[in-house]
Amino acid sequence: MILKVRVVPLIILILEAILRRLPKSHPRYPMIEDEHRRRVIGYKGEESLDFYYRSLPEQKYFILHDLNLPDGPYNCQIDTLLISSDSIIAVGSKNIGGNLTFDTENKQFIQEWHGEMKGYPSPIAQEERHQEYLQQLLAAHNFPPVPVDYVIVLSNPYATYVVTGPESGRVKKRVCKADAFLNRIKMFEGYYKTPVLEAKEMRRLSRLLIKMNTPPTNFMLEKFGIEKSDLMPGVLCPTSHHPLIRKKHKWYCPACQTYSKDAHIHMLMDYFLLYDLKITNKQFREFARLDCIHIAGRILRSLNLISSGSKKTRTYSPASFPWDPKKEIKNMSKKERSGN
């Protein structure tokens, strides 16, 4: 049963928001572009595994995709988590081609591609950190000590791999190509046969993880040394990325000489991704570069946002996250579209 569906990962959305608002002259811009490219490739690899997830027994497994769990100043990002009564399996996907080596002695992951060698962070070390994180989380929230394990799936059909070093025997069982994924799950089912979690505990754990899921904004900004002051505010033109101005009850782009009725929705999405999951009228005006408190209030009230507080302390938050601007545009009534 899929309890957290697969959508575009939050990290990709955050990187796209950074790229929209960071000047291209910024020294870290190329690095963020490269990170975004690799994340998109990885996401496509995760999507390719959906065929196999659909083949898992629906009543046995609770499936949660793309979890971003707070870990102090860091982010514990799990591609997919399988929760059953007898075990919890973290699934990491790697969509990378070439000849791959998992070096368990030196904790290295090496790609040989067209005669060139390139090193990457060890997926084994990463999944073992996820394993330890989940074990500590279970203990902290008084869950029974259910076994936690992991599997790394190579989703690129043209990749080959070897596992070397003193721990190769243990690790080989936890690395596979996509077409062997279901067999690896059966292997775990053979290891873990004793039910530990009751159905209500599985549901409670799933709800907890979904509630803990938060945008890894600060983690990504700190990773690249980006200050929020480096990011450009304003309602941006979707074509030229030029700041828009409010004119004739619409947003006007001086560069394109075009108007938009709903460009502020995309600006709000960027704000929720990069700054906070709630916004006040004043913060909206500052970020949108809008002077009128009444226009800002009408815009915020016209959207499907949850309001809390009163007057100057009132905040507006998305009903769900990731917030879908296209859905908001579709839901706007003709009356709301024609207002200020």
Side-chain angles (χ1 to χ4, degrees):
M1 181 186 303
I2 298 178
L3 298 185
K4 186 175 182 298
V5 300
R6 187 187 306 286
V7 295
V8 179
L10 286 172
I11 286 180
I12 290 179
L13 296 177
I14 289 167
L15 289 169
E16 289 174 350
I18 294 173
L19 290 172
R20 277 192 293 272
R21 298 192 172 270
L22 190 69
K24 291 187 177 181
S25 59
H26 195 283
R28 299 301 177 94
Y29 193 95
M31 296 174 59
I32 299 171
E33 273 190 318
D34 183 63
E35 176 88 4
H36 176 259
R37 178 189 60 80
R38 291 192 295 105
R39 293 280 184 176
V40 170
I41 292 173
Y43 172 54
K44 291 179 180 178
E46 292 169 31
E47 282 187 310
S48 70
L49 300 180
D50 285 346
F51 169 80
Y52 302 101
Y53 291 124
R54 288 194 294 269
S55 300
L56 293 173
E58 185 174 350
Q59 298 305 315
K60 178 176 176 62
Y61 292 101
F62 286 176
I63 303 175
L64 291 81
H65 293 300
D66 187 35
L67 285 171
N68 291 272
L69 307 174
D71 186 15
Y74 303 103
N75 172 60
C76 178
Q77 193 272 325
I78 300 174
D79 293 341
T80 298
L81 197 66
L82 307 180
I83 300 174
S84 68
S85 62
D86 46 51
S87 64
I88 296 173
I89 310 296
V91 183
S93 170
K94 295 297 175 185
N95 186 14
I96 184 171
N99 302 318
L100 310 176
T101 300
F102 294 83
D103 179 355
T104 63
E105 181 175 5
N106 300 300
K107 308 298 182 184
Q108 294 185 102
F109 180 51
I110 303 166
Q111 177 197 35
E112 183 182 356
W113 183 249
H114 296 306
E116 295 185 3
M117 305 283 284
K118 187 174 183 180
Y120 293 93
S122 169
I124 301 300
Q126 181 185 55
E127 294 305 325
E128 289 178 346
R129 286 195 297 271
H130 293 170
Q131 184 181 32
E132 182 179 2
Y133 176 95
L134 290 167
Q135 290 168 337
Q136 292 175 350
L137 184 145
L138 289 166
H141 292 273
N142 300 313
F143 285 97
V146 60
V148 179
D149 219 317
Y150 67 88
V151 60
I152 297 168
V153 185
L154 303 176
S155 55
N156 189 310
Y158 305 107
T160 62
Y161 74 96
V162 295
V163 182
T164 65
E167 297 182 83
S168 60
R170 177 180 64 84
V171 169
K172 280 180 182 177
K173 299 175 182 179
R174 290 163 175 81
V175 178
C176 66
K177 299 291 289 293
D179 54 6
F181 173 64
L182 293 177
N183 286 335
R184 284 296 191 276
I185 297 301
K186 288 181 181 179
M187 179 194 74
F188 288 121
E189 291 173 349
Y191 288 166
Y192 309 118
K193 298 180 180 179
T194 305
V196 179
L197 295 176
E198 296 181 1
K200 64 179 181 181
E201 292 171 323
M202 292 170 60
R203 288 191 291 271
R204 181 166 75 90
L205 176 59
S206 300
R207 287 195 299 268
L208 172 66
L209 293 171
I210 291 173
K211 184 178 180 181
M212 290 176 63
N213 189 62
T214 53
T217 299
N218 290 335
F219 171 73
M220 295 307 298
L221 293 176
E222 290 176 9
K223 177 179 179 179
F224 292 103
I226 304 296
E227 300 290 338
K228 290 182 178 179
S229 58
D230 294 334
L231 303 172
M232 180 171 57
V235 180
L236 304 181
C237 174
T239 303
S240 66
H241 298 289
H242 192 281
L244 305 183
I245 59 175
R246 195 70 178 172
K247 187 176 181 181
K248 298 181 180 179
H249 310 314
K250 300 176 185 177
W251 299 101
Y252 175 70
C253 178
C256 301
Q257 297 185 348
T258 56
Y259 288 89
S260 171
K261 294 179 180 179
D262 41 41
H264 55 271
I265 294 179
H266 300 276
M267 182 215 74
L268 270 173
M269 180 62 173
D270 285 356
Y271 187 93
F272 293 144
L273 285 167
L274 298 173
Y275 290 84
D276 200 349
L277 284 176
K278 59 182 181 296
I279 190 169
T280 64
N281 184 300
K282 180 181 179 182
Q283 289 168 334
F284 179 86
R285 283 181 281 127
E286 290 175 347
F287 196 63
R289 293 177 171 174
L290 186 66
D291 294 328
C292 182
I293 187 173
H294 302 294
I295 293 175
R298 282 195 290 271
I299 290 174
L300 288 167
R301 290 191 298 272
S302 73
L303 300 173
N304 185 27
L305 296 170
I306 297 174
S307 63
S308 178
S310 60
K311 297 183 178 180
K312 291 183 178 180
T313 63
R314 179 175 287 121
T315 61
Y316 299 84
S317 306
S320 61
F321 202 78
W323 198 51
D324 187 352
K326 293 181 180 178
K327 184 177 179 181
E328 297 303 327
I329 292 171
K330 183 178 180 181
N331 288 341
M332 288 175 68
S333 68
K334 291 182 181 179
K335 181 179 178 180
E336 289 167 341
R337 284 174 174 269
S338 61
N340 283 328

